[in-house]
Each structure stands twice: as structure tokens, then as C-alpha cells.
């Protein structure tokens, strides 16, 4: 079992940057598929980025080229670097960990076993 705690959310202007952190405890994050999802007001939670390992990542089309997911094994922490932020990036961002199981669709929330509490990122125009 792993516990996840997000931090780093803030209010920034459009064009700015934020780095979100997801501190894992209990087990090392490298044992899991690690992902970020987000939920904007009145909308469903949506996939943002996934890291299967340090060399295998993928992103939603809306954030590709602007966001980067990475991990620090020594700190047992996963990050989401968000650059060139837009007002439509405003959301609560959630970190999630999923057991690596064949056949799971890791672009869907149902693939993940553990979730953090979320951190609010607000981008003003």
C-alpha cells in the first residue's frame, strides 16, 4: 500500500509555471504506474500524464509539450512540471498510483488503486 500527498498548487498568471509534487510513502512509487489527473469545476476528472518508468511517459493532447512528469527515487516523489499555463488548466490536480497489471487501461481512473487528496492550481487570464 502507498500513501500519496500532493502539494505545489497555487494561483499563477497565464503563461506562468507551476511544479506540483506527489510525495509517496509506504512503498516506492517506482513499483507503480504513476499518473496525474485533473478535475475542473463542473467537469469530469481527466487524464493528464502517466509515468510507467523513467523512460516511459505519455501525456494528454491538451498538455503535451507544456507539461512534464518525472520522479525522484531518492525523495520517493513524483512531479508535474507545468509550463505555459492557460486559464483552461485551472483544476484540482490529483496524483494516482496503479499496480502494474496487464490489461489495465491506465488512461482511465479505474486503473488506479491509490489517490492523493488533490492540490488546486488556478491560472488567471
Amino acid at each position: 500500500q502507498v500513501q500519496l500527498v500532493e502539494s505545489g498548487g497555487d494561483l499563477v498568471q497565464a503563461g506562468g509555471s507551476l511544479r506540483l509534487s506527489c510525495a509517496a510513502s509506504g512503498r516506492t512509487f517506482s513499483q507503480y504506474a504513476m499518473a496525474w489527473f485533473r478535475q475542473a469545476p463542473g467537469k469530469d476528472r481527466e487524464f493528464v500524464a502517466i509515468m510507467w518508468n523513467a523512460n516511459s511517459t505519455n501525456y494528454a493532447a491538451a498538455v503535451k509539450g507544456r507539461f512534464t512528469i518525472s520522479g525522484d527515487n531518492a525523495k520517493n516523489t513524483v512531479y508535474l512540471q507545468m509550463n505555459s499555463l492557460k486559464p483552461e488548466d485551472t483544476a484540482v490536480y490529483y496524483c494516482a498510483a496503479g499496480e502494474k497489471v496487464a490489461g489495465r487501461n491506465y488512461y482511465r481512473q479505474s486503473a488506479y488503486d491509490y489517490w492523493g487528496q488533490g492540490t488546486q492550481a488556478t491560472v488567471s487570464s
Side-chain angles (χ1 to χ4, degrees), residues 16-125:
S17 298
L18 280 175
R19 189 178 77 159
L20 306 183
S21 299
C22 172
S25 61
R27 293 177 68 182
T28 56
F29 73 80
S30 59
Q31 296 178 281
Y32 300 92
M34 297 299 299
W36 288 92
F37 284 73
R38 67 185 181 186
Q39 187 166 20
K43 295 188 176 182
D44 292 336
R45 193 173 299 188
E46 64 176 4
F47 167 80
V48 175
I50 184 172
M51 180 172 66
W52 285 281
N53 56 58
N55 299 314
S56 182
T57 60
N58 205 2
Y59 300 89
V63 307
K64 191 170 291 186
R66 300 189 297 124
F67 290 12
T68 302
I69 186 171
S70 63
D72 184 329
N73 289 320
K75 296 182 177 180
N76 205 23
T77 298
V78 175
Y79 302 100
L80 184 69
Q81 178 67 44
M82 307 190 295
N83 298 330
S84 302
L85 283 162
K86 305 174 182 180
E88 52 263 43
D89 294 318
T90 294
V92 177
Y93 284 74
Y94 297 91
C95 177
E99 301 280 356
K100 294 179 181 178
V101 177
R104 284 191 179 182
N105 182 343
Y106 288 95
Y107 299 98
R108 299 179 64 88
Q109 297 179 61
S110 57
Y112 296 87
D113 304 284
Y114 307 100
W115 291 84
Q117 82 290 349
T119 186
Q120 175 72 48
T122 303
V123 185
S124 63
S125 56

